């Protein structure tokens, strides 16, 4: 079996009569959470919410700005950074579920997005990459899901290399962000404060700004599933279940409405040479 990076194209929407579909380049799928990039799930959620046809291209190649995800427009132009991508797509496809929001609502969405992406998620990365990389690798079958390590010596070497270097890379990023001066318990408390603020704002509304979903709901879903669906003992997961039941319900509601194919999407890209799909994933309950 070839050891090259995987590429698979599959369209969520098959009717391309109204739009020329674009390509979304992202990591290969993993069990439980579909994609380890919250920014990918956020972007694909935005596309699903706005019914924009797209083809996900799964692989390990980084794009513009050395980022994943990135997109390729039908014109061939490539764009990186999920926030930049979404801003461009709104103009290109002339769609925007945020158009009805008041300026104050848009300001709230901007602030919560920055909080989630530049603070809450970074503390989550510190936990899973910096402190618990071995567990992260095991529960999501990363060597095989990303590198076809079951069937490929080169893939095994790449998987071992990433496992070795990523914890140190993440710990340095935590330090450079100014978060490294705090204890882990303080970091968990900071991130839980973020989650409580989101929970308080959502309150008993079905969606972040009321009766209709917006881009902010896509942002929330992309980040919250990382804590809730990856079978690891995130401190944030415990906090969400004990103190933010409305966010847990929100995630399930969004998945039902916009990711009816979630379980299918979580299936591995590679097959073992013997014919089985992926690695044997540890038997842990998805919560």
């Amino acid at each position: 079996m070839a050891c090259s990076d995987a590429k698979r194209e599959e369209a969520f929407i098959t009717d391309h009569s109204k739009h020329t579909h674009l390509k979304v380049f992202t990591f290969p799928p993993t069990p439980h959470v579909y994609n380890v990039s919250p920014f990918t799930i956020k972007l694909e959620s935005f596309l699903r919410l706005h019914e924009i046809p797209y083809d996900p291209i799964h692989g390990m190649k980084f794009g513009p700005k050395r980022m994943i995800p990135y997109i390729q427009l039908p014109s061939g132009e490539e764009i990186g950074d999920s926030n930049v991508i979404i801003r461009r797509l709104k103009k290109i496809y002339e769609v925007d579920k945020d158009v009805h929001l008041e300026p104050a609502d848009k300001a709230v969405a901007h602030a919560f997005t920055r909080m989630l992406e530049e603070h809450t998620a970074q503390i989550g990365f510190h936990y899973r990459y910096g402190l618990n990389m071995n567990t992260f690798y095991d529960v999501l079958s990363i060597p095989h899901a990303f590198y076809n390590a079951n069937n490929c010596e080169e893939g095994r070497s790449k998987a071992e290399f990433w496992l070795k270097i990523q914890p140190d890379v993440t710990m340095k990023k935590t330090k450079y962000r100014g978060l490294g001066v705090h204890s882990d318990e303080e970091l968990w408390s900071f991130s839980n404060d973020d989650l409580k603020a989101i929970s308080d704002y959502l309150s008993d509304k079905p969606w972040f700004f009321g009766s209709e979903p917006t881009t902010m709901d896509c942002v929330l879903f992309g980040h919250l599933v990382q804590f809730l669906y990856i079978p690891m003992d995130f401190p944030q997961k415990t906090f969400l279940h004990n103190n933010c039941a409305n966010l847990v319900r929100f995630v399930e509601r969004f998945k039902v409405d916009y990711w009816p194919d979630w379980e299918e999407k979580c299936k591995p890209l590679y097959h073992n040479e013997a014919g089985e799909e992926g690695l044997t994933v540890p038997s842990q309950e998805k919560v």
Side-chain angles (χ1 to χ4, degrees), residues 96-119:
D96 189 357
K97 296 289 187 179
D98 307 336
V99 69
H100 67 284
L101 296 178
E102 297 294 333
D105 294 330
K106 293 180 179 179
V108 168
H110 174 82
F112 272 115
T113 297
R114 288 292 183 266
M115 181 188 74
L116 272 168
E117 297 185 348
E118 303 299 336
H119 188 254

Side-chain angles (χ1 to χ4, degrees), residues 259-276:
W259 290 85
D261 55 344
W262 181 265
E263 299 302 330
E264 182 68 23
K265 298 290 287 184
C266 291
K267 290 183 177 179
L269 184 67
Y270 294 107
H271 293 258
N272 291 334
E273 290 182 345
E276 299 88 355

Side-chain angles (χ1 to χ4, degrees), residues 20 57 74 86 101 158-159 162 164 181 186 204 215 252 272:
T20 302
I57 311 298
I86 287 173
L101 296 178
K158 289 181 178 180
W162 191 40
K164 181 178 180 180
V181 299
E186 287 173 327
D204 59 355
T215 302
E252 289 301 313
N272 291 334

Side-chain angles (χ1 to χ4, degrees), residues 228-249:
L228 290 171
Y229 286 178
I230 295 177
M232 294 175 64
D233 294 327
F234 288 101
Q236 297 85 353
K237 178 186 294 186
T238 301
F239 185 84
L240 283 164
H241 281 288
N242 291 341
N243 301 279
C244 307
N246 61 337
L247 293 184
V248 178
R249 293 192 298 270

Side-chain angles (χ1 to χ4, degrees), residues 203-214:
S203 187
D204 59 355
K205 302 189 298 292
W207 307 111
F208 197 72
F209 288 113
S211 60
E212 298 294 332
T214 64

